[in-house]
Amino acid sequence: MLAEIPYFMNNNEWYYYDESGNPVQNEWVEQYYYIGEDGKMVRNQYVDRFFVSQYGNWNPRFEAPYWLMHGEWKKNGNVWIYQYNGIVQTMDFSQIRSICRLGYDTSNEKTPPEQSKEAYRLAAEKGFTIVLCDLCFTKDHVPVCFHDEYINRIARDQSGQELEEEIRISDLTYEDTIQYDFGIYKGKSYEGTHLLKLEEMLELAQQLNLELYIEIKAGSKEEIKQAVELTKQYDLKLSWAGTKYDECSAVVEADDTARVSTMPRMIRDSEIEELLSLKRENNKVFFFTYDTAMLTDEVLSKLKKEGIPFEMGTIDSEIEIVNYLTENYQYCTGIESNKIVAANIDLDQVLQD
């Protein structure tokens, strides 16, 4: 990664320059390296509650929970209070929105297929009240819940065999998809699982009283508007997340009351301004992104000032969720997970482990 950035070394210290040739100061570079006030790459210390190694790079997955070794926890009823080096944070895990990704623990060979009715029902049984589905479209513009560009990872032919040629979901009509099995890869008990239409997902969420996240994977502006209009027929709490600004804009154009999010890998002034441009009188905007989207104190202050919630994923370890919410961020309102409901985290047990 270093080779991709304009830099030079002097007396064993690294210095960086931006695209205009100006020296970088007090700034994260490519998410993983921090340049200090003196223009040198910071090494072997904490920056904005993130630890950078002796080589200057930040590891998003901490090898050891720093908060556990140095911080102090106190319990007040169901609320935990964490203190370290002047930082005081109140933790009420029941207030963290837990979003189940694609159905309950679908990477487990013993659970139902991803984005199937069975997987979402299991998520509800396990205590999730919010679930996430992906949105893309078939060749004949039918909105379906599917993660990949190609169907090959989970689709099988009528004999249950893997497909020999790569097939894009956008090259198939919905009727074409019926010839494939989207469940047998998980075992004979799921044989005959079809591709879930968005309409079916909406009906299921309404039946199970679930809040629904819709992450846009692909689709034209008109297709996305069509999907938004479809959701209006259901009495549901909804959130929309798009990796592209045009996707989010299409949602807002179709419904100016929609709760909508962009999904940046870094949060800077430009990303905040872009998100705020989606704000309307009666809608809500938020960031739904990844644990690499580091919140510096400066960014955190701006999010609080603008009233922008921050929700992220995916984390499947209780200790990582606790570590994330304490050491890294003080402003995270939701965690996406395959299997962990934040409200069910037993901090006593986590600390013992």
Side-chain angles (χ1 to χ4, degrees):
M1 184 176 290
L2 286 173
E4 302 174 2
I5 308 170
Y7 68 95
F8 80 94
M9 176 180 276
N10 184 23
N11 293 327
N12 204 35
E13 298 288 350
W14 290 104
Y15 297 81
Y16 296 81
Y17 292 83
D18 61 21
E19 295 178 353
S20 301
N22 300 314
V24 173
Q25 295 174 287
N26 297 320
E27 186 175 327
W28 287 95
V29 179
E30 290 294 311
Q31 304 185 44
Y32 294 99
Y33 306 93
Y34 190 80
I35 312 305
E37 188 172 1
D38 56 3
K40 299 176 183 178
M41 182 180 71
V42 173
R43 294 191 273 190
N44 203 34
Q45 68 182 68
Y46 274 82
V47 180
D48 295 328
R49 300 187 297 279
F50 302 93
F51 186 77
V52 291
S53 73
Q54 60 179 319
Y55 305 105
N57 63 305
W58 168 64
N59 183 354
R61 300 298 188 198
F62 291 87
E63 294 181 2
Y66 190 82
W67 56 268
L68 185 58
M69 296 184 292
H70 297 81
E72 179 183 7
W73 287 95
K74 293 183 179 180
K75 193 173 185 180
N76 183 10
N78 293 324
V79 177
W80 286 86
I81 300 173
Y82 169 75
Q83 298 179 359
Y84 169 69
N85 198 25
I87 296 174
V88 178
Q89 180 171 347
T90 299
M91 293 293 296
D92 183 351
F93 293 105
S94 67
Q95 300 303 308
I96 301 297
R97 291 161 53 81
S98 292
I99 305 118
C100 186
R101 179 182 179 272
L102 312 185
Y104 185 79
D105 198 17
T106 56
S107 61
N108 188 324
E109 62 181 14
K110 297 180 180 180
T111 56
E114 66 183 58
Q115 304 201 69
S116 66
K117 291 183 178 180
E118 294 85 354
Y120 288 118
R121 287 195 183 101
L122 183 58
E125 290 174 10
K126 294 293 185 177
F128 282 97
T129 58
I130 310 172
V131 296
L132 180 145
C133 70
D134 292 318
L135 174 66
C136 57
F137 296 83
T138 59
K139 186 177 181 179
D140 52 342
H141 313 296
V142 176
V144 293
C145 303
F146 196 70
H147 183 276
D148 302 344
E149 179 182 359
Y150 296 88
I151 69 172
N152 297 65
R153 179 173 58 85
I154 65 173
R156 301 293 183 263
D157 64 22
Q158 294 179 350
S159 63
Q161 300 301 307
E162 294 188 15
L163 308 180
E164 295 182 359
E165 297 182 2
E166 289 190 329
I167 301 175
R168 284 188 174 88
I169 186 68
S170 59
D171 289 336
L172 300 173
T173 66
Y174 184 77
E175 287 302 315
D176 291 336
T177 70
I178 302 299
Q179 66 183 297
Y180 302 103
D181 193 310
F182 292 86
I184 199 171
Y185 78 100
K186 275 297 192 78
K188 289 286 290 184
S189 59
Y190 299 110
E191 183 177 3
T193 301
H194 64 74
L195 196 62
L196 194 65
K197 293 181 180 179
L198 176 62
E199 183 176 5
E200 295 173 302
M201 181 72 245
L202 294 167
E203 291 173 354
L204 182 66
Q206 187 166 275
Q207 291 169 9
L208 298 176
N209 195 28
L210 295 171
E211 181 177 341
L212 184 61
Y213 264 62
I214 301 176
E215 181 176 336
I216 303 169
K217 290 294 185 181
S220 68
K221 187 174 183 179
E222 290 308 313
E223 285 175 328
I224 293 170
K225 287 184 175 182
Q226 167 200 348
V228 175
E229 291 299 327
L230 178 62
T231 65
K232 292 179 181 179
Q233 301 175 26
Y234 297 83
D235 183 20
L236 288 173
K237 288 184 178 180
L238 279 174
S239 296
W240 295 83
T243 54
K244 300 176 182 177
Y245 177 80
D246 288 346
E247 296 169 343
C248 299
S249 179
V251 171
V252 174
E253 286 183 27
D255 183 1
D256 62 5
T257 68
R259 184 175 190 262
V260 64
S261 164
T262 57
M263 301 178 66
R265 291 194 174 273
M266 292 186 71
I267 298 179
R268 299 163 294 197
D269 286 348
S270 56
E271 282 75 23
I272 294 175
E273 291 172 4
E274 183 178 73
L275 181 66
L276 287 174
S277 71
L278 298 169
K279 187 75 179 72
R280 302 294 183 267
E281 183 178 355
N282 296 312
N283 77 340
K284 295 181 180 179
V285 296
F286 69 108
F287 281 122
F288 181 66
T289 185
Y290 315 92
D291 58 347
T292 55
M294 298 174 294
L295 291 183
T296 65
D297 288 334
E298 181 180 4
V299 169
L300 175 59
S301 177
K302 291 178 180 178
L303 294 187
K304 287 182 175 180
K305 179 181 178 181
E306 299 293 347
I308 300 174
F310 175 83
E311 301 176 354
M312 59 75 58
T314 305
I315 304 183
D316 290 326
S317 160
E318 288 190 353
I319 196 169
E320 284 193 43
I321 289 177
V322 175
N323 191 37
Y324 185 91
L325 293 173
T326 54
E327 182 63 31
N328 298 345
Y329 300 105
Q330 299 183 45
Y331 192 66
C332 182
T333 58
I335 296 285
E336 179 197 53
S337 179
N338 287 293
K339 57 185 179 181
I340 297 175
V341 177
N344 294 340
I345 292 177
D346 184 345
L347 189 54
D348 279 322
Q349 188 62 52
V350 171
L351 294 173
Q352 290 177 25
D353 293 343

